[in-house]
Amino acid sequence: MKKRLLASRVFNDTGDWFYYFVIVVIIYTMSRNPIMMGILSASYTLPGILVSKKLANIINKLNDRTSLIMFDLLRVIVLIEIVLTSNVWVALICVFLEQVFAIGSNLSFQRVTVDVVQDKEGLLKFNRHLKAFSNISRLLVIPSYLLLHRFVSNKFVLGLDILFTIVSLFETFRIETTHCKSSAEDIGSLELKKFHFGKITKMILVFSLLNVFRSFVDAYGIMYIGKISKNVSVGYAALVFILSIADLLGSLMSKNIIKIENLSQNKILIWSFISILVLFTIPSVIHNVCCFIITIFLIRLVLSILGLFVLYNMQSSVPEKIHQYTALQTMAIDGVSLVNSIAGGFVIQEIDIFNYMKIVILTVLILEIIIKNINTSIAT
């Protein structure tokens, strides 16, 4: 069952990498309007903020595997609509819906994972393998897309996402789960609004806060490179490639860092927080492309390891509520990304990007102090 579950998600993730590569180009060629590109960016983050809680509560009432199959089937339907439509507004609505269903699929997958992989060592190994295989597929997708787009249309490449998702569904159908319903527990106690501000919640918020540095690179990495280099395309391509390497190395290195005996301690969280702040300070002061790429590589490496650390803590501490806490994390990360995308653009226009980086560091530090000083009410 573990191998089928792993294969199902790797196929799913591989299709997603093709999707993320081509959807920007598809929307751009449909409209060539910067406003539409802004709406596209919002379509990635708004679903996580608006519907994560509702999706988690829906999953409570369904069989875990059934909800996973349902959301992936809905994703296939909207992907087909994107391929067929020539109307940019229809395509943007489908992008929004695809993200909604992708979140539902991920929440359901977390429920199925803690059901199928029940021992702690098994969870650590499964998470590590999934992360590694997913990042290997991303590294393979990059040259594959560069080769394919010379001969076929971007919508044909998007069809590969549909194909991989269907293959993933076939593997999901073969998985057997033990929970008939996620709502076997008291559903009322699982409501997101009733979450206590405890250890796991704090961990999620700190991790989400640190993801502002990932969000910064996604939104403004190309602007930083363009500010200090004439060869923007080469610099940005190098950045994207090396970030993929960082994610892969993070999954491999986690084996020697994330261990059951040190999960009760906060050393990994504290070490990650301090190192990311220090690293991000360097390119804000030293304006050099190579320096920027190296420090962002190291930050991404730390975030990759920290992401696995936070995931395992949720899986082992609150397995029956894993989809609820994953929903909370999705909302928090997407909220941080949305604020960074909206506020960052205006701030960078008024001051330069290097000063904005310093503001981000100071803001994260202040918010971390506030989070740390909030009293913990219960263990999780």
Side-chain angles (χ1 to χ4, degrees):
M1 288 303 138
K2 295 178 185 179
K3 290 182 179 179
R4 288 176 183 172
L5 182 62
L6 182 64
S8 171
R9 208 59 188 175
V10 171
F11 280 124
N12 201 300
D13 287 350
T14 302
D16 285 348
W17 293 129
F18 279 110
Y19 171 80
Y20 289 122
F21 263 87
V22 300
I23 194 61
V24 175
V25 181
I26 289 173
I27 298 298
Y28 178 73
T29 54
M30 279 185 176
S31 67
R32 298 187 181 275
N33 187 330
I35 295 176
M36 296 300 176
M37 301 309 293
I39 295 174
L40 175 64
S41 179
S43 297
Y44 294 143
T45 53
L46 283 175
I49 300 168
L50 298 177
V51 302
S52 291
K53 174 185 173 182
K54 293 181 177 63
L55 290 172
N57 290 331
I58 289 172
I59 294 168
N60 270 337
K61 303 173 184 178
L62 298 174
N63 175 284
D64 298 334
R65 192 189 67 158
T66 300
S67 62
L68 179 57
I69 292 171
M70 177 188 73
F71 284 118
D72 280 340
L73 280 173
L74 290 171
R75 287 184 61 240
V76 169
I77 292 171
V78 295
L79 287 170
I80 292 173
E81 182 59 33
I82 295 174
V83 171
L84 296 177
T85 189
S86 58
N87 185 299
V88 66
W89 286 108
V90 173
L92 285 169
I93 291 170
C94 288
V95 170
F96 179 87
L97 291 174
E98 195 281 336
Q99 187 65 17
V100 170
F101 301 143
I103 292 170
S105 174
N106 182 50
L107 299 182
S108 302
F109 174 74
Q110 294 302 329
R111 285 291 299 184
V112 174
T113 298
V114 295
D115 190 9
V116 173
V117 190
Q118 297 184 351
D119 60 294
K120 293 186 176 183
E121 286 288 353
L123 278 171
L124 283 171
K125 186 177 179 180
F126 181 86
N127 293 338
R128 187 166 60 247
H129 285 174
L130 176 58
K131 185 81 171 179
F133 283 120
S134 177
N135 284 297
I136 289 171
S137 73
R138 177 167 59 170
L139 288 172
L140 294 176
V141 163
I142 294 173
S144 298
Y145 171 72
L146 293 175
L147 179 64
L148 282 170
H149 92 284
R150 296 172 178 266
F151 306 103
V152 298
S153 67
N154 284 301
K155 286 195 173 182
F156 180 89
V157 177
L158 183 60
L160 293 176
D161 186 12
I162 298 172
L163 177 62
F164 277 109
T165 305
I166 291 173
V167 174
S168 171
L169 278 165
F170 277 116
E171 289 295 325
T172 305
F173 272 112
R174 300 168 62 195
I175 297 170
E176 297 178 3
T177 56
T178 57
H179 285 171
C180 292
K181 284 188 177 181
S182 299
S183 56
E185 301 82 16
D186 178 14
I187 293 177
S189 66
L190 299 181
E191 290 291 336
L192 206 60
K193 65 184 179 182
K194 293 183 180 294
F195 277 5
H196 293 281
F197 200 91
K199 175 185 173 183
I200 299 300
T201 311
K202 279 188 176 183
M203 189 176 295
I204 288 172
L205 292 182
V206 172
F207 177 63
S208 302
L209 192 59
L210 289 176
N211 266 270
V212 71
F213 300 107
R214 182 196 297 263
S215 174
F216 172 88
V217 175
D218 292 342
Y220 310 117
I222 194 168
M223 289 183 62
Y224 183 99
I225 293 172
K227 188 85 173 175
I228 57 179
S229 173
K230 294 180 180 179
N231 203 338
V232 179
S233 57
V234 173
Y236 189 66
L239 177 63
V240 171
F241 182 78
I242 205 166
L243 291 182
S244 302
I245 298 293
D247 286 338
L248 175 59
L249 287 177
S251 60
L252 298 176
M253 291 173 60
S254 67
K255 180 178 181 180
N256 297 320
I257 297 175
I258 304 175
K259 298 180 180 179
I260 292 176
E261 57 267 23
N262 65 12
L263 287 175
S264 60
Q265 303 174 14
N266 285 325
K267 289 182 180 179
I268 292 178
L269 194 62
I270 295 170
W271 172 80
S272 300
F273 184 85
I274 294 172
S275 61
I276 288 174
L277 286 185
V278 171
L279 285 168
F280 198 70
T281 304
I282 297 172
S284 71
V285 177
I286 303 174
H287 307 157
N288 178 275
V289 173
C290 290
C291 174
F292 178 72
I293 291 176
I294 292 170
T295 52
I296 296 303
F297 166 81
L298 293 173
I299 289 172
R300 190 64 165 256
L301 182 67
V302 174
L303 283 174
S304 180
I305 296 171
L306 183 60
L308 289 170
F309 173 75
V310 174
L311 174 60
Y312 179 77
N313 267 279
M314 289 193 294
Q315 289 173 334
S316 59
S317 301
V318 285
E320 74 287 353
K321 304 179 185 179
I322 182 65
H323 57 304
Q324 295 280 356
Y325 279 89
T326 303
L328 176 64
Q329 180 174 288
T330 301
M331 292 171 64
I333 290 176
D334 285 350
V336 167
S337 298
L338 186 63
V339 170
N340 175 65
S341 298
I342 295 173
F346 288 107
V347 174
I348 291 171
Q349 273 190 326
E350 297 299 322
I351 61 177
D352 60 48
I353 193 169
F354 310 116
N355 286 325
Y356 175 66
M357 293 171 72
K358 295 168 187 172
I359 290 173
V360 169
I361 295 168
L362 183 61
T363 302
V364 170
L365 183 60
I366 292 171
L367 289 174
E368 162 60 10
I369 293 172
I370 293 172
I371 292 173
K372 185 177 180 181
N373 289 333
I374 296 177
N375 291 328
T376 302
S377 54
I378 57 173
T380 59

